[in-house]
């Protein structure tokens, strides 16, 4: 179990965090885009405060720290999530149908709070209690995979009882079953998947398809009209895949080779710029002919512009996930596990997917989603088919030292 050490972040890590908040996936509302998955640093002030107040190091208990489970006597659960990441009634935005269905079926009330705006910011909210071995006041949280991995390493979340989660255990899609940071999903289950794909404006390309990162980097007809992302894992991960590297087990030399390949495209002005979520406007107008994009954005863009197309490269694509975890000392662990399981029932999973339009991690959801919206059910950016699922690749977990080193090299590339 990794020991939590409240070190001051490097300038590069802070820059990565600010970049994610101002132009990355943490910059706008949850429905419009995703969050920054590569910014793992804390603010200087937050770290200094934590260090100064004498909070002890993280637990070394690999199973986390449980409290007495009050689930049977207290029929409630507290759930912290991102904004606009839950289905809402069309006529009454204060009603959330799938949560109401859970309460009706189980008798367990849900205190649902949209208090997560950014992974790093949220970590700053809960770290003092977790580090001190105290209850955060939350039974269930939803965070992106790099932060989920950190919480697991520190021993700050509880091991799940799969006996309380039969639907989740049975229906989890194969591509999400065994991340290197949580083998066998002992501590987490995905809420949604986040896919990075190639998007292009067919009008801007003259009708030509854009099918690979190599084409984006080398095709002279695309010169000056190509965009890559300001998120290190997405851009470097997709480039390494294009170079035939396994992003789940790459070495430093592989990373450096990808940076060099991207640097060449920067130097010869093939790449117009590195963008956060603001690529959407440029792609829609045709100022960018092709770019790396997040699947949730592509679904939204296609609804308004038929010229927006996407492609899954033969070399594969980068995927990450947002994940449900139960913090240490949570009072209602069993109730939280039952709520996780609720969202792996096929009709419930379909209802959620239809509203939020992100990759659904629930195997077998397509027929149920088709009852709601056949077009969404046939969209591989929401329900990956077998071919797309087989091309999914996750960026391996990084140590703190690797995180700092890789971000520094990426910052030099992007000019951040």
């Amino acid at each position: 179990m990794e020991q939590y050490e409240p070190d001051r972040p490097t300038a590069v890590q802070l820059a990565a965090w600010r970049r994610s908040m101002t132009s990355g996936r943490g910059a706008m509302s949850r429905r419009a885009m995703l969050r920054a998955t590569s910014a793992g640093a804390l603010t200087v002030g937050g770290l200094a405060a934590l260090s100064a107040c004498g909070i002890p190091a993280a637990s070394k208990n690999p199973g986390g720290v449980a409290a007495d489970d009050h689930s049977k006597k207290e029929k409630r659960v507290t759930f912290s999530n991102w904004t606009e990441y839950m289905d809402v009634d069309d006529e009454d935005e204060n009603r959330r149908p799938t949560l109401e269905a859970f309460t009706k079926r189980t008798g367990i009330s849900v205190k649902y709070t949209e208090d997560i705006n950014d992974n790093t910011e949220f970590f700053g909210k809960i770290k003092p209690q977790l580090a001190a071995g105290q209850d955060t006041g939350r039974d269930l949280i939803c965070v992106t995979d790099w932060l989920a991995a950190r919480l697991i390493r520190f021993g700050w979340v509880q091991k799940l009882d799969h006996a309380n989660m039969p639907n989740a255990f049975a229906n989890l899609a194969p591509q999400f079953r065994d991340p290197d940071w949580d083998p066998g999903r002992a501590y987490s289950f995905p809420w949604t998947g986040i896919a990075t794909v190639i998007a292009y404006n067919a009008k801007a390309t003259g009708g030509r398809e854009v099918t690979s990162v190599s084409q984006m980097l080398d095709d002279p007809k695309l010169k000056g009209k190509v965009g890559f992302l300001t998120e290190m894992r997405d851009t470097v991960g997709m480039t390494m895949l294009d170079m035939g590297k396994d992003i789940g087990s790459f070495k430093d030399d592989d990373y450096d080779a990808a940076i060099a390949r991207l640097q060449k495209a920067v130097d010869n002005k093939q790449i117009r710029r590195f963008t956060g979520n603001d690529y959407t406007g440029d792609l829609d107008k045709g100022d960018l002919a092709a770019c790396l994009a997040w699947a949730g954005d592509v679904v939204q863009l296609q609804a308004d512009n038929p010229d927006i197309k996407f492609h899954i490269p033969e070399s594969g694509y980068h995927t990450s996930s947002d994940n449900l975890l139960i913090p240490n000392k949570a009072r209602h662990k069993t109730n939280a596990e039952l709520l996780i399981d609720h969202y792996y029932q096929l009709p419930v999973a379909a209802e959620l997917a239809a509203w939020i339009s992100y990759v659904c991690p629930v195997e077998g959801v397509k027929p149920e989603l088709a009852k709601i919206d056949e077009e969404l059910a046939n969209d591989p950016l929401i329900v990956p088919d077998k071919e797309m699922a087989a091309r999914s690749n996750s960026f391996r977990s990084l140590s703190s030292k690797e995180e700092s080193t890789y971000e520094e090299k990426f910052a030099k590339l992007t000019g951040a």
Side-chain angles (χ1 to χ4, degrees):
M1 186 65 59
E2 181 176 322
Q3 190 81 351
Y4 175 61
E5 297 178 357
D7 294 331
R8 189 177 296 271
T10 67
V12 170
Q13 288 176 319
L14 284 173
W17 175 71
R18 294 189 189 102
R19 186 174 65 241
S20 297
M21 286 294 289
T22 58
S23 65
R25 288 186 278 187
M28 293 177 65
S29 71
R30 189 60 186 79
R31 190 168 177 81
M33 84 282 315
L34 310 173
R35 269 125 17 253
T37 58
S38 66
L42 297 172
T43 65
V44 173
L47 282 167
L50 179 56
S51 179
C53 66
I55 291 175
S59 165
K60 292 186 178 181
N61 182 351
V65 180
D68 292 336
D69 192 350
H70 299 268
S71 291
K72 288 186 178 180
K73 293 183 178 180
E74 300 176 0
K75 304 290 283 184
R76 60 179 182 267
V77 63
T78 300
F79 180 11
S80 284
N81 204 352
W82 299 78
T83 58
E84 301 188 59
Y85 219 10
M86 179 67 72
D87 56 298
V88 175
D89 186 270
D90 290 336
E91 297 181 359
D92 184 354
E93 62 180 16
N94 293 316
R95 295 187 57 206
R96 298 179 173 88
T98 58
L99 285 177
E100 292 179 1
F102 172 75
T103 298
K104 182 177 181 180
R105 181 173 60 82
T106 64
I108 300 169
S109 63
V110 182
K111 180 182 179 182
Y112 183 75
T113 307
E114 296 180 332
D115 61 345
I116 306 179
N117 297 303
D118 170 79
N119 285 289
T120 303
E121 179 187 50
F122 183 66
F123 184 56
K125 289 181 182 179
I126 63 175
K127 71 183 185 292
Q129 294 98 325
L130 290 173
Q134 299 171 352
D135 181 10
T136 66
R138 300 167 175 86
D139 299 304
L140 193 63
I141 61 175
C142 182
V143 297
T144 306
D145 47 15
W146 67 263
L147 181 52
R150 175 183 292 177
L151 294 173
I152 293 170
R153 290 199 310 270
F154 290 165
W156 286 358
V157 292
Q158 299 186 52
K159 192 170 185 177
L160 299 171
D161 184 352
H162 288 174
N164 292 327
M165 306 163 57
N167 292 292
F169 188 78
N171 295 336
L172 178 60
Q175 75 182 91
F176 296 102
R177 281 191 174 271
D178 201 34
D180 68 345
W181 48 270
D182 186 18
R185 290 291 180 178
Y187 298 91
S188 69
F189 265 76
W191 180 250
T192 58
I194 303 168
T196 306
V197 300
I198 293 174
Y200 63 97
N201 185 318
K203 185 175 181 180
T205 65
R208 293 184 306 119
E209 293 184 336
V210 180
T211 60
S212 70
V213 171
S214 287
Q215 184 180 358
M216 293 172 66
L217 293 173
D218 300 329
D219 187 344
K221 293 183 179 180
L222 296 177
K223 186 172 182 177
K225 294 184 178 181
V226 170
F228 280 76
L229 295 166
T230 54
E231 300 303 332
M232 179 267 288
R233 286 171 175 80
D234 295 291
T235 286
V236 181
M238 290 290 284
T239 303
M240 283 197 289
L241 287 170
D242 185 76
M243 298 170 71
K245 303 301 181 181
D246 181 355
I247 63 173
S249 61
F250 67 89
K251 306 297 183 184
D252 288 349
D253 288 347
D254 300 323
Y255 184 90
D256 291 344
I259 290 290
R261 179 153 167 68
L262 289 162
Q263 186 65 59
K264 180 180 178 182
V266 170
D267 293 343
N268 65 22
K269 302 189 184 307
Q270 179 77 9
I271 296 176
R272 181 186 183 94
R273 65 190 186 101
F274 292 87
T275 73
N277 65 279
D278 49 330
Y279 70 80
T280 55
D282 288 347
L283 183 64
D284 188 48
K285 292 184 294 184
D287 291 341
L288 286 176
C291 64
L292 294 186
W294 296 304
D297 287 344
V298 176
V299 173
Q300 298 297 322
L301 285 169
Q302 287 182 320
D304 299 319
N305 186 344
D307 290 323
I308 303 301
K309 312 292 182 181
F310 75 93
H311 191 83
I312 307 299
E314 292 293 330
S315 58
Y317 66 98
H318 173 249
T319 187
S320 55
S321 58
D322 283 335
N323 308 274
L324 301 171
L325 303 97
I326 300 175
N328 284 355
K329 294 290 186 177
R331 287 178 60 89
H332 310 104
K333 179 175 184 287
T334 298
N335 291 346
E337 290 165 341
L338 294 175
L339 183 56
I340 295 173
D341 194 64
H342 175 69
Y343 282 97
Y344 277 80
Q345 295 184 38
L346 298 182
V348 179
E351 191 169 353
L352 179 68
W355 199 88
I356 64 176
S357 300
Y358 291 101
V359 177
C360 182
V362 181
E363 184 80 354
V365 75
K366 185 173 182 176
E368 291 293 333
L369 185 54
K371 296 176 183 178
I372 301 172
D373 190 317
E374 191 166 351
E375 185 176 352
L376 292 179
N378 290 316
D379 191 334
L381 297 183
I382 299 175
V383 184
D385 54 27
K386 289 183 178 180
E387 182 181 2
M388 181 172 176
R391 297 184 194 176
S392 171
N393 297 268
S394 296
F395 205 93
R396 70 169 174 81
S397 299
L398 302 179
S399 67
S400 297
K401 182 178 179 181
E402 286 177 323
E403 178 85 34
S404 178
T405 300
Y406 290 171
E407 282 287 4
E408 183 175 0
K409 292 177 179 179
F410 188 67
K412 290 180 180 178
L413 169 73
T414 62

